[in-house]
Amino acid sequence: MGKAPKKRSLADKVRKTKTNPAIKNNPFEVKINRKKFDVLGRKTKHDVGLPGVSRSKAINKRKETLLKEYKQKNKASKFVDRRLGEYDAKMAPEDKILQRFALERQRIHEKKDMYNLNEEEELTHYGQSLAEMEKFNDVVNSDDESEEKGLLSAELTASHFGGGGGGGLLRKKTSGEQQQEDGNQRAKSRQELIEELIQKSKQEKRERQVQKEEAQELTEKLDQEWKSIQSLMVKKTAKTELADKPEEKPKLDEYDMMVRELGFEMKAQPSEKMKTPEELAREEKEKLQKLEADRLRRMMGEEEDTKAQSQTRMSADDLNDGFILDKHDKKTLAYQDGKWNIEEEEEEAAEDEEGESGEEQESDEEEEEEEASSEEEEEEEDGQSDLESEQESEDEEKNQEDDGKPKKTLSKEEMKAQQQAAKAELPYTFAAPESYEDLKDLLCGHTPENQRLIVARTQKCNHPSLAVGNKLKLQKLFGFLLEYIGELALRTPPELTAVDKLVPELYALCQMFPDAAAAAVQRVLADAAHSVEELIELKGHAPFPTLDTLIYLKLTALLFPTSDFRHPVTTPALLYISLTLTKCPVRSFQDVTTGLLLCCLTVEYVSFSKRFLPELVNFLTGTLHLAVRDKTSLGYTVAPPFRPSGKCSDLLVLSDPESCRSWKKKPLPLSATRCLELKDDLDRDHHSRCAGVKTET
């Protein structure tokens, strides 16, 4: 933000007037400001001054400004009308008055009303003025007789208590008043006055009673008249009609229906805490360790604990009455008529046992009835079933049944069978392999599915969050798996099922360590490209890549993005495919199959990026050229690695045109890139037909 330009005043004009050059040249008018020392690069503005010129400029400035203001001070040559809106024709007189009044109130408020307590304003409470409320002029309008019982009239107070004011009945009267009363009537005694007051009070009470009775009669009369009118207004329906007609419920509005639906909706339950990857890995490892310990126990032939580990709950009212005291078997020695009474004691004991058993049965029946009745009462009182308590009670019943049943001991044959099954079972915990030979020993002799399980359990048991060195171990495991997949592809026959099973585990490791995975794949592709370049330098051509390299190229498309403009892994892989399609000549059916597989990989690489590869178009054109019978008149040009004519230029030409009738479309297997068994010309024609159809599609 720039600064606003300063206004030029008369003083500035006077100050900026040019001085006479003769004065500047006069040495007596010039004053030189000497410096103590010179500083290199410093520019000074006031080395030379003109005191006389400055003094004259200041005097002229004061004459032009201060002197004129001093002469015009307290002088006015005209009257100025400063009334608001006086000369504004557009404003109405009422508007002028309102604005002038508002301006006047504003001035008063700003200057004089600093400590104004709003005395002019009226304070209210619930619409009533506080000033009127403080006067206590409330009129009590009540027809209740009880409110007037405690009130004393002035006459009654004066007669009984002598009165406190000048108007009392029993006060000492003046001589003038006494003479006046003597003239009117004779003086009444105190007893007469009291009786008169009593009669007046009784009369007033009787009048009030009469008024109350009249009001009650009027009220009853109005009630009777209202009942007669109400019978005319409201038509009562009989109970039979009400029973016959179904009760019509009022229809609910959309809002009411939505409110009820919200009430019946399932309420959100708090979910469990989201676990971190480290916690998940720790849980997976603990689970595998527990399973492995169970497998080792079964392999050693140890019996499983049949005791229920779940603790049975005991309520606060449970007094543990189910225990049985040991019988007191000790016999007491007693004599009767010089003989021991052992038999009598045994009979009494037997009778006691029978009685106790009968009492126990009766008490058990009574307890069962009480428990059944109490359970029914509890079900009626609760009204809602608790699923968790039901499940716990079922578990307790099962545990009691298991405890009640005799434990089944395994025989020797069953124990041996269990041990053999545990030995044949796959372990649950594995140590990370330190070398490629360790990985081969670990996976050797297992089915493809078991190999996948071994690799997956190895990852879970050696997660990077569980120990410090696990990260490096899993990074090495990715390289070992790549090498193992290449070895599976080179076996005879190739174990492609095992390769397919190991790809998901390879992808998981790649997502966990992308940099290490990219470096490992780069090394594999660099070795393959280096070997092809060496053969091209020596012989001018190179054979098509083997099946393991083709699988590596396919894995590259699965593990890394192919749509990037430039990627450290997929871009070298695409360049390697272009090199092989250009420099590898087609000499056999295996070469055709390998070349078509490379073309499919190329299409997969460029499907998202929509790139154009001339090597792909050239190879497909050359493949179709191999199926052309007459090559004398060609309307196209054949580019390397294909030749217009030669030894292998008729590789896909059909020996018998009638073989097309018995041909069926079949997919080309990956194993066809290594070994291809063609027994006769018909098989050759069928394979050529498959290759041609693949090229066309």
Side-chain angles (χ1 to χ4, degrees), residues 430 439 442-443 450-460 474 477 481 502 505-506 509:
F430 295 94
L439 180 64
L442 191 62
L443 302 179
N450 286 344
Q451 291 183 15
R452 185 193 66 80
L453 283 175
I454 290 171
V455 176
R457 290 174 181 177
T458 304
Q459 293 183 41
K460 292 177 182 178
L474 292 183
L477 180 61
L481 281 177
L502 291 175
E505 306 305 326
L506 203 67
L509 288 172

PDB file of all heavy atoms in Angstrom, residues 430 439 442-443 450-460 474 477 481 502 505-506 509:
ATOM      1  N   PHE A 430       7.001 -70.164  11.136  1.00  0.00           N
ATOM      2  CA  PHE A 430       8.195 -70.417  10.325  1.00  0.00           C
ATOM      3  C   PHE A 430       9.172 -69.274  10.546  1.00  0.00           C
ATOM      4  O   PHE A 430       8.782 -68.110  10.721  1.00  0.00           O
ATOM      5  CB  PHE A 430       7.848 -70.514   8.834  1.00  0.00           C
ATOM      6  CG  PHE A 430       6.974 -71.686   8.481  1.00  0.00           C
ATOM      7  CD1 PHE A 430       5.601 -71.538   8.426  1.00  0.00           C
ATOM      8  CD2 PHE A 430       7.530 -72.929   8.221  1.00  0.00           C
ATOM      9  CE1 PHE A 430       4.779 -72.602   8.103  1.00  0.00           C
ATOM     10  CE2 PHE A 430       6.714 -73.998   7.893  1.00  0.00           C
ATOM     11  CZ  PHE A 430       5.346 -73.841   7.837  1.00  0.00           C
ATOM     12  N   LEU A 439      15.050 -71.331   1.468  1.00  0.00           N
ATOM     13  CA  LEU A 439      13.696 -71.224   0.942  1.00  0.00           C
ATOM     14  C   LEU A 439      13.313 -72.469   0.145  1.00  0.00           C
ATOM     15  O   LEU A 439      12.190 -72.977   0.257  1.00  0.00           O
ATOM     16  CB  LEU A 439      13.564 -69.972   0.070  1.00  0.00           C
ATOM     17  CG  LEU A 439      12.186 -69.739  -0.552  1.00  0.00           C
ATOM     18  CD1 LEU A 439      11.143 -69.490   0.530  1.00  0.00           C
ATOM     19  CD2 LEU A 439      12.224 -68.576  -1.535  1.00  0.00           C
ATOM     20  N   LEU A 442      12.550 -75.189   2.468  1.00  0.00           N
ATOM     21  CA  LEU A 442      11.301 -74.939   3.181  1.00  0.00           C
ATOM     22  C   LEU A 442      10.077 -75.294   2.335  1.00  0.00           C
ATOM     23  O   LEU A 442       9.083 -75.816   2.845  1.00  0.00           O
ATOM     24  CB  LEU A 442      11.234 -73.460   3.601  1.00  0.00           C
ATOM     25  CG  LEU A 442      10.126 -73.042   4.572  1.00  0.00           C
ATOM     26  CD1 LEU A 442      10.279 -73.756   5.902  1.00  0.00           C
ATOM     27  CD2 LEU A 442      10.153 -71.528   4.771  1.00  0.00           C
ATOM     28  N   LEU A 443      10.156 -75.018   1.011  1.00  0.00           N
ATOM     29  CA  LEU A 443       9.011 -75.240   0.125  1.00  0.00           C
ATOM     30  C   LEU A 443       9.058 -76.575  -0.596  1.00  0.00           C
ATOM     31  O   LEU A 443       8.061 -76.950  -1.237  1.00  0.00           O
ATOM     32  CB  LEU A 443       8.926 -74.113  -0.913  1.00  0.00           C
ATOM     33  CG  LEU A 443       8.790 -72.686  -0.364  1.00  0.00           C
ATOM     34  CD1 LEU A 443       8.741 -71.695  -1.503  1.00  0.00           C
ATOM     35  CD2 LEU A 443       7.542 -72.544   0.504  1.00  0.00           C
ATOM     36  N   ASN A 450       0.007 -75.386  -0.127  1.00  0.00           N
ATOM     37  CA  ASN A 450       0.812 -75.369   1.102  1.00  0.00           C
ATOM     38  C   ASN A 450       1.999 -74.433   0.978  1.00  0.00           C
ATOM     39  O   ASN A 450       2.414 -73.797   1.961  1.00  0.00           O
ATOM     40  CB  ASN A 450       1.285 -76.784   1.434  1.00  0.00           C
ATOM     41  CG  ASN A 450       0.157 -77.643   1.981  1.00  0.00           C
ATOM     42  OD1 ASN A 450      -0.887 -77.134   2.380  1.00  0.00           O
ATOM     43  ND2 ASN A 450       0.351 -78.951   1.975  1.00  0.00           N
ATOM     44  N   GLN A 451       2.565 -74.334  -0.212  1.00  0.00           N
ATOM     45  CA  GLN A 451       3.664 -73.380  -0.417  1.00  0.00           C
ATOM     46  C   GLN A 451       3.172 -71.947  -0.188  1.00  0.00           C
ATOM     47  O   GLN A 451       3.880 -71.131   0.424  1.00  0.00           O
ATOM     48  CB  GLN A 451       4.222 -73.536  -1.830  1.00  0.00           C
ATOM     49  CG  GLN A 451       4.968 -74.844  -2.049  1.00  0.00           C
ATOM     50  CD  GLN A 451       5.556 -74.929  -3.442  1.00  0.00           C
ATOM     51  OE1 GLN A 451       5.662 -73.932  -4.152  1.00  0.00           O
ATOM     52  NE2 GLN A 451       5.947 -76.134  -3.844  1.00  0.00           N
ATOM     53  N   ARG A 452       1.980 -71.648  -0.664  1.00  0.00           N
ATOM     54  CA  ARG A 452       1.428 -70.306  -0.426  1.00  0.00           C
ATOM     55  C   ARG A 452       1.213 -70.064   1.069  1.00  0.00           C
ATOM     56  O   ARG A 452       1.513 -68.976   1.586  1.00  0.00           O
ATOM     57  CB  ARG A 452       0.100 -70.165  -1.179  1.00  0.00           C
ATOM     58  CG  ARG A 452      -0.508 -68.766  -1.089  1.00  0.00           C
ATOM     59  CD  ARG A 452      -1.939 -68.770  -1.564  1.00  0.00           C
ATOM     60  NE  ARG A 452      -2.782 -69.551  -0.682  1.00  0.00           N
ATOM     61  CZ  ARG A 452      -3.262 -69.115   0.480  1.00  0.00           C
ATOM     62  NH1 ARG A 452      -2.952 -67.907   0.927  1.00  0.00           N
ATOM     63  NH2 ARG A 452      -4.030 -69.884   1.228  1.00  0.00           N
ATOM     64  N   LEU A 453       0.688 -71.081   1.781  1.00  0.00           N
ATOM     65  CA  LEU A 453       0.479 -70.935   3.217  1.00  0.00           C
ATOM     66  C   LEU A 453       1.789 -70.732   3.970  1.00  0.00           C
ATOM     67  O   LEU A 453       1.870 -69.938   4.913  1.00  0.00           O
ATOM     68  CB  LEU A 453      -0.243 -72.171   3.758  1.00  0.00           C
ATOM     69  CG  LEU A 453      -1.750 -72.273   3.480  1.00  0.00           C
ATOM     70  CD1 LEU A 453      -2.283 -73.609   3.963  1.00  0.00           C
ATOM     71  CD2 LEU A 453      -2.501 -71.136   4.155  1.00  0.00           C
ATOM     72  N   ILE A 454       2.829 -71.447   3.546  1.00  0.00           N
ATOM     73  CA  ILE A 454       4.129 -71.307   4.218  1.00  0.00           C
ATOM     74  C   ILE A 454       4.652 -69.884   4.065  1.00  0.00           C
ATOM     75  O   ILE A 454       5.125 -69.259   5.030  1.00  0.00           O
ATOM     76  CB  ILE A 454       5.120 -72.340   3.651  1.00  0.00           C
ATOM     77  CG1 ILE A 454       4.719 -73.753   4.093  1.00  0.00           C
ATOM     78  CG2 ILE A 454       6.544 -72.036   4.108  1.00  0.00           C
ATOM     79  CD1 ILE A 454       5.500 -74.851   3.423  1.00  0.00           C
ATOM     80  N   VAL A 455       4.569 -69.350   2.839  1.00  0.00           N
ATOM     81  CA  VAL A 455       5.066 -67.983   2.612  1.00  0.00           C
ATOM     82  C   VAL A 455       4.221 -66.972   3.388  1.00  0.00           C
ATOM     83  O   VAL A 455       4.749 -66.019   3.981  1.00  0.00           O
ATOM     84  CB  VAL A 455       5.064 -67.670   1.104  1.00  0.00           C
ATOM     85  CG1 VAL A 455       5.494 -66.226   0.863  1.00  0.00           C
ATOM     86  CG2 VAL A 455       5.995 -68.613   0.366  1.00  0.00           C
ATOM     87  N   ALA A 456       2.894 -67.168   3.412  1.00  0.00           N
ATOM     88  CA  ALA A 456       2.026 -66.232   4.134  1.00  0.00           C
ATOM     89  C   ALA A 456       2.305 -66.266   5.635  1.00  0.00           C
ATOM     90  O   ALA A 456       2.387 -65.215   6.291  1.00  0.00           O
ATOM     91  CB  ALA A 456       0.561 -66.575   3.852  1.00  0.00           C
ATOM     92  N   ARG A 457       2.468 -67.469   6.200  1.00  0.00           N
ATOM     93  CA  ARG A 457       2.740 -67.562   7.637  1.00  0.00           C
ATOM     94  C   ARG A 457       4.128 -67.032   7.974  1.00  0.00           C
ATOM     95  O   ARG A 457       4.349 -66.495   9.059  1.00  0.00           O
ATOM     96  CB  ARG A 457       2.586 -69.012   8.085  1.00  0.00           C
ATOM     97  CG  ARG A 457       1.135 -69.483   8.059  1.00  0.00           C
ATOM     98  CD  ARG A 457       1.002 -70.956   8.356  1.00  0.00           C
ATOM     99  NE  ARG A 457      -0.404 -71.384   8.291  1.00  0.00           N
ATOM    100  CZ  ARG A 457      -0.824 -72.631   8.450  1.00  0.00           C
ATOM    101  NH1 ARG A 457       0.074 -73.607   8.692  1.00  0.00           N
ATOM    102  NH2 ARG A 457      -2.098 -72.928   8.366  1.00  0.00           N
ATOM    103  N   THR A 458       5.062 -67.183   7.047  1.00  0.00           N
ATOM    104  CA  THR A 458       6.395 -66.607   7.263  1.00  0.00           C
ATOM    105  C   THR A 458       6.319 -65.094   7.344  1.00  0.00           C
ATOM    106  O   THR A 458       6.981 -64.454   8.179  1.00  0.00           O
ATOM    107  CB  THR A 458       7.340 -67.046   6.135  1.00  0.00           C
ATOM    108  OG1 THR A 458       7.364 -68.472   6.068  1.00  0.00           O
ATOM    109  CG2 THR A 458       8.745 -66.530   6.385  1.00  0.00           C
ATOM    110  N   GLN A 459       5.491 -64.473   6.493  1.00  0.00           N
ATOM    111  CA  GLN A 459       5.326 -63.017   6.547  1.00  0.00           C
ATOM    112  C   GLN A 459       4.695 -62.579   7.872  1.00  0.00           C
ATOM    113  O   GLN A 459       5.117 -61.587   8.470  1.00  0.00           O
ATOM    114  CB  GLN A 459       4.440 -62.556   5.388  1.00  0.00           C
ATOM    115  CG  GLN A 459       5.059 -62.724   4.008  1.00  0.00           C
ATOM    116  CD  GLN A 459       4.145 -62.174   2.928  1.00  0.00           C
ATOM    117  OE1 GLN A 459       3.544 -61.124   3.087  1.00  0.00           O
ATOM    118  NE2 GLN A 459       4.045 -62.897   1.821  1.00  0.00           N
ATOM    119  N   LYS A 460       3.679 -63.313   8.321  1.00  0.00           N
ATOM    120  CA  LYS A 460       2.998 -62.920   9.554  1.00  0.00           C
ATOM    121  C   LYS A 460       3.888 -63.108  10.779  1.00  0.00           C
ATOM    122  O   LYS A 460       3.848 -62.291  11.708  1.00  0.00           O
ATOM    123  CB  LYS A 460       1.720 -63.738   9.714  1.00  0.00           C
ATOM    124  CG  LYS A 460       0.664 -63.417   8.674  1.00  0.00           C
ATOM    125  CD  LYS A 460      -0.565 -64.298   8.831  1.00  0.00           C
ATOM    126  CE  LYS A 460      -1.606 -63.994   7.761  1.00  0.00           C
ATOM    127  NZ  LYS A 460      -2.790 -64.885   7.883  1.00  0.00           N
ATOM    128  N   LEU A 474      12.396 -59.860   5.261  1.00  0.00           N
ATOM    129  CA  LEU A 474      11.311 -59.931   4.279  1.00  0.00           C
ATOM    130  C   LEU A 474      11.729 -59.342   2.938  1.00  0.00           C
ATOM    131  O   LEU A 474      11.256 -59.789   1.884  1.00  0.00           O
ATOM    132  CB  LEU A 474      10.075 -59.203   4.817  1.00  0.00           C
ATOM    133  CG  LEU A 474       9.384 -59.857   6.022  1.00  0.00           C
ATOM    134  CD1 LEU A 474       8.133 -59.075   6.400  1.00  0.00           C
ATOM    135  CD2 LEU A 474       9.010 -61.301   5.735  1.00  0.00           C
ATOM    136  N   LEU A 477      13.399 -62.033   1.323  1.00  0.00           N
ATOM    137  CA  LEU A 477      12.429 -63.056   0.925  1.00  0.00           C
ATOM    138  C   LEU A 477      11.811 -62.728  -0.429  1.00  0.00           C
ATOM    139  O   LEU A 477      11.535 -63.643  -1.227  1.00  0.00           O
ATOM    140  CB  LEU A 477      11.342 -63.156   1.998  1.00  0.00           C
ATOM    141  CG  LEU A 477      10.225 -64.188   1.744  1.00  0.00           C
ATOM    142  CD1 LEU A 477      10.806 -65.593   1.666  1.00  0.00           C
ATOM    143  CD2 LEU A 477       9.162 -64.103   2.833  1.00  0.00           C
ATOM    144  N   LEU A 481      11.919 -65.294  -3.587  1.00  0.00           N
ATOM    145  CA  LEU A 481      10.709 -65.752  -4.264  1.00  0.00           C
ATOM    146  C   LEU A 481      10.782 -65.511  -5.765  1.00  0.00           C
ATOM    147  O   LEU A 481      10.327 -66.351  -6.560  1.00  0.00           O
ATOM    148  CB  LEU A 481       9.483 -65.038  -3.678  1.00  0.00           C
ATOM    149  CG  LEU A 481       8.950 -65.564  -2.345  1.00  0.00           C
ATOM    150  CD1 LEU A 481       7.785 -64.702  -1.868  1.00  0.00           C
ATOM    151  CD2 LEU A 481       8.503 -67.007  -2.464  1.00  0.00           C
ATOM    152  N   LEU A 502       1.809 -68.337  -5.777  1.00  0.00           N
ATOM    153  CA  LEU A 502       2.784 -67.491  -5.074  1.00  0.00           C
ATOM    154  C   LEU A 502       2.687 -66.022  -5.471  1.00  0.00           C
ATOM    155  O   LEU A 502       3.277 -65.161  -4.799  1.00  0.00           O
ATOM    156  CB  LEU A 502       4.204 -68.000  -5.342  1.00  0.00           C
ATOM    157  CG  LEU A 502       4.559 -69.355  -4.719  1.00  0.00           C
ATOM    158  CD1 LEU A 502       5.944 -69.785  -5.177  1.00  0.00           C
ATOM    159  CD2 LEU A 502       4.498 -69.300  -3.206  1.00  0.00           C
ATOM    160  N   GLU A 505       1.253 -63.541  -2.715  1.00  0.00           N
ATOM    161  CA  GLU A 505       2.210 -63.261  -1.633  1.00  0.00           C
ATOM    162  C   GLU A 505       3.320 -62.339  -2.107  1.00  0.00           C
ATOM    163  O   GLU A 505       3.795 -61.479  -1.361  1.00  0.00           O
ATOM    164  CB  GLU A 505       2.792 -64.574  -1.108  1.00  0.00           C
ATOM    165  CG  GLU A 505       1.750 -65.600  -0.687  1.00  0.00           C
ATOM    166  CD  GLU A 505       0.779 -65.056   0.334  1.00  0.00           C
ATOM    167  OE1 GLU A 505       1.212 -64.232   1.173  1.00  0.00           O
ATOM    168  OE2 GLU A 505      -0.406 -65.422   0.300  1.00  0.00           O
ATOM    169  N   LEU A 506       3.713 -62.506  -3.360  1.00  0.00           N
ATOM    170  CA  LEU A 506       4.720 -61.605  -3.930  1.00  0.00           C
ATOM    171  C   LEU A 506       4.172 -60.178  -4.011  1.00  0.00           C
ATOM    172  O   LEU A 506       4.892 -59.204  -3.759  1.00  0.00           O
ATOM    173  CB  LEU A 506       5.121 -62.119  -5.316  1.00  0.00           C
ATOM    174  CG  LEU A 506       6.486 -61.679  -5.855  1.00  0.00           C
ATOM    175  CD1 LEU A 506       7.604 -62.278  -5.017  1.00  0.00           C
ATOM    176  CD2 LEU A 506       6.647 -62.113  -7.301  1.00  0.00           C
ATOM    177  N   LEU A 509       4.247 -58.548  -0.519  1.00  0.00           N
ATOM    178  CA  LEU A 509       5.592 -58.079  -0.171  1.00  0.00           C
ATOM    179  C   LEU A 509       5.960 -56.826  -0.952  1.00  0.00           C
ATOM    180  O   LEU A 509       6.647 -55.932  -0.437  1.00  0.00           O
ATOM    181  CB  LEU A 509       6.610 -59.191  -0.441  1.00  0.00           C
ATOM    182  CG  LEU A 509       6.587 -60.373   0.536  1.00  0.00           C
ATOM    183  CD1 LEU A 509       7.510 -61.475   0.038  1.00  0.00           C
ATOM    184  CD2 LEU A 509       7.010 -59.935   1.922  1.00  0.00           C
TER     185      LEU A 509
END
